[in-house]
């Protein structure tokens, strides 16, 4: 499936809206687009999925390796005829960058530049990004420009005429209905605050869909499917799935279902824990539902089952729910499951935002002793663990629970601040050893 990467000059330039507008323009031109997201983000892909009605793939070389990025891209190849990959931050920002994803797949780059306050200067910026690739050591082709928040008429013509050497593919306007509200972990999810459909249609009219298709090219996919992907384990996975526990990558959900049996339940709604071999509590927004969770019979059931030795794995929000208490931003303390000796408290700003690496001190649910796992952390909460708390991992990179340790464990329960992708090997190990 041919594709392009929509990369920003920086964070906040309108990449998500541009991606949605390009996908809508491609649909209106008779194409069948799919979307993907460079980096570990959960939220932008939810907006892709809301517009396209299909999952958006996560493409992150740190989480899954270059071969994992190629496999994730290939899994979407039978779902459409052109892929639009939304970048993260600016094109070259970070040691795990959008440029690294474009290079791994050999996809061309269309630069998204905020044009609200410039014309020729926007072109100069875009041409600078094109020339910087060689200096930065990336084998990437910056071939196009999309002007975000641009006006039509003279403003657009001034940008288009100045961009000699780059293909101008259109603009997205500043329109009511195109702004996506944000909160402390980023934008609202696509099913919470979807982009207004009429505004998106209007934005799509400013995109040259055939120019996008002309620039798109087929990626290098020289890797074989994962050897483990089709090996059934018979493991029954109880997956928490509601607004408090919603940060799960589509590839992870698919792998759990392919190799085991997945049954969903909602702790916020008070559902009983299904009969299972392992419970998985992904991240999400437990702080928004702290009172409901505190009153939920699910956490009591989970605590009893964990004490009896049922395998339980929690990530970030899952860690918070498995602890003793959660104190919200308004300084109200809510009792949680009490499985792990840790108290968490919401903070005014981010405590950790980074790709992480952890090394197992002992055999645990997601890794054998001595092996490393790669993940991602992004949380606005701090954790205070008991002095005698046990940690399964030492930090190789990132903050973890206390700067040096990660992976609180008790009984057969493990919880981390880090989020993991199936490409890390964590979930295959879980299914094979639980």
């Amino acid at each position: 499936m041919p594709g392009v990467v929509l990369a920003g000059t920086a964070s906040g330039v309108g990449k998500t809206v541009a991606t949605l507008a390009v996908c809508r323009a491609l649909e209106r031109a008779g194409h069948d687009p799919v979307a993907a997201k460079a980096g570990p983000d959960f939220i932008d892909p939810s907006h892709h999925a809301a517009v396209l009605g299909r999952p958006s793939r996560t493409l992150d070389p740190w989480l899954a390796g270059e071969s994992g990025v190629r496999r994730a891209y290939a899994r979407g190849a039978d779902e459409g005829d052109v892929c639009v990959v939304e970048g993260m931050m600016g094109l070259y920002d970070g040691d795990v960058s959008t440029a690294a994803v474009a290079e791994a797949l050999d996809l061309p780059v269309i630069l998204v530049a905020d044009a609200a306050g410039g014309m020729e200067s926007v072109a100069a910026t875009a041409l600078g990004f094109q020339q910087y690739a060689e200096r930065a050591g990336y084998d990437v082709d910056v071939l196009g420009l999309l002007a975000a928040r641009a006006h039509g008429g003279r403003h657009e013509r001034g940008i288009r005429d100045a961009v000699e050497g780059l293909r101008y593919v259109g603009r997205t306007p500043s329109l009511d209905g195109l702004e996506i509200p944000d909160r402390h972990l980023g934008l609202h999810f696509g099913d919470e605050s979807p982009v207004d459909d009429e505004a998106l249609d209007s934005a799509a009219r400013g995109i040259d869909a055939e120019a996008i298709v002309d620039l798109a090219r087929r990626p290098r996919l020289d890797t074989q499917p994962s050897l483990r992907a089709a090996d059934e384990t018979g493991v029954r996975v109880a997956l928490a799935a509601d607004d408090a526990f919603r940060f799960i990558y589509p590839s992870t959900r698919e792998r759990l279902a392919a190799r085991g049996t997945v049954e969903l339940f909602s702790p916020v709604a008070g559902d009983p824990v299904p009969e299972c071999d392992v419970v998985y509590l992904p991240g999400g927004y437990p702080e928004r539902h702290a009172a409901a969770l505190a009153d939920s019979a699910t956490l009591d059931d989970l605590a009893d089952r964990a004490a009896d030795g049922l395998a339980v794995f929690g990530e970030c929000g899952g860690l918070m729910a498995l602890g003793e208490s959660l104190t919200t931003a308004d300084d109200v303390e809510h009792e949680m499951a009490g499985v792990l000796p840790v108290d968490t408290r919401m903070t005014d700003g981010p405590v950790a935002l980074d790709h992480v690496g952890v090394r197992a001190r002992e055999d645990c649910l997601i890794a054998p002793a001595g092996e490393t796992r790669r993940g991602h952390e992004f949380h606005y909460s701090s954790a205070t663990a008991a002095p005698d708390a046990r940690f399964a991992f030492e930090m190789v990179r990132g903050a973890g629970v206390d700067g040096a340790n990660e992976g609180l464990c008790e009984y057969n329960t493990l919880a981390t601040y880090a989020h993991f992708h199936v490409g890390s090997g964590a979930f295959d190990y879980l299914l094979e050893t639980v």
Side-chain angles (χ1 to χ4, degrees), residues 238-255:
L239 172 61
D242 54 31
D243 191 43
F245 307 99
R246 64 182 307 167
F247 291 166
I248 179 171
Y249 296 112
S251 293
T252 299
R253 185 190 288 267
E254 291 169 5
R255 183 68 65 86

Side-chain angles (χ1 to χ4, degrees), residues 84-394:
V84 183
V85 180
E86 179 184 347
M88 57 179 165
M89 302 184 291
L91 173 58
Y92 301 111
D93 293 335
D95 52 1
V96 183
S97 64
T98 299
V101 174
E103 184 177 56
L105 292 169
D106 191 28
L107 291 181
V109 172
I110 296 173
L111 196 69
V112 179
D114 189 345
M119 288 195 303
E120 288 86 352
S121 296
V122 176
T125 299
L127 292 169
F129 269 77
Q130 183 186 54
Q131 295 172 16
Y132 188 75
E134 183 177 356
R135 178 176 175 180
Y138 286 108
D139 182 15
V140 297
D141 298 320
V142 181
L143 300 181
L145 170 66
L146 190 154
R149 305 186 182 109
H151 300 288
R154 179 175 175 273
H155 187 204
E156 183 177 29
R157 287 195 302 274
I159 298 168
R160 183 183 59 224
D161 294 345
V163 188
E164 186 176 348
L166 285 178
R167 181 81 174 267
Y168 180 76
V169 303
R171 68 182 181 96
T172 56
S174 294
L175 284 176
D176 290 339
L178 285 179
E179 296 299 323
I180 305 171
D182 61 12
R183 56 168 167 245
H184 62 264
L185 291 181
L187 302 174
H188 282 245
F189 267 73
D191 58 359
E192 297 174 309
S193 299
V195 174
D196 181 78
D197 207 52
E198 291 185 9
L200 190 58
D201 278 338
S202 180
R205 286 193 283 272
I207 304 296
D208 184 345
E210 294 312 316
I212 303 285
V213 173
D214 286 346
L215 291 177
R217 67 175 177 236
R218 298 185 186 279
R220 293 193 303 256
L221 292 180
D222 53 359
T223 133
Q224 298 299 313
S226 170
L227 297 177
R228 290 167 153 176
D231 295 342
E232 294 186 8
T233 61
V235 171
R236 296 165 299 172
V237 181
L239 172 61
D242 54 31
D243 191 43
F245 307 99
R246 64 182 307 167
F247 291 166
I248 179 171
Y249 296 112
S251 293
T252 299
R253 185 190 288 267
E254 291 169 5
R255 183 68 65 86
L256 293 175
R259 303 200 63 196
T261 302
V262 175
E263 185 166 349
L264 307 181
F265 71 106
S266 169
V268 172
D271 294 345
V273 177
E275 286 303 314
C276 64
D277 301 300
V278 58
V279 176
Y280 173 31
L281 304 174
Y285 299 104
E287 68 277 9
R288 296 180 60 201
H289 303 277
L293 288 172
D295 293 337
S296 172
T298 308
L299 293 195
D300 293 332
D301 186 18
L302 187 59
D304 292 340
R305 300 283 294 279
D308 289 338
L310 177 66
V312 180
F313 175 48
E315 293 174 329
C316 199
L319 179 151
M320 297 162 75
L322 289 166
E324 298 284 352
S325 69
L326 165 58
T327 301
T328 54
D330 54 2
D331 208 34
V332 178
E333 182 178 306
H334 299 272
E335 184 177 351
M336 294 288 106
V339 177
L340 298 172
V342 63
D343 297 288
T344 54
R345 173 181 288 274
M346 300 307 297
T347 56
D348 293 333
V351 173
L353 169 56
D354 199 1
H355 286 94
V356 301
V358 297
R359 182 180 295 114
R361 290 194 173 94
E362 59 185 59
D363 292 345
C364 65
L365 287 175
I366 63 170
E371 197 162 297
T372 59
R373 293 285 183 255
R374 288 183 170 192
H376 177 257
E377 58 186 1
F378 185 14
H379 53 92
Y380 279 63
S381 66
S382 61
T384 303
D388 59 350
R390 290 172 47 229
F391 292 95
F393 297 102
E394 62 178 331

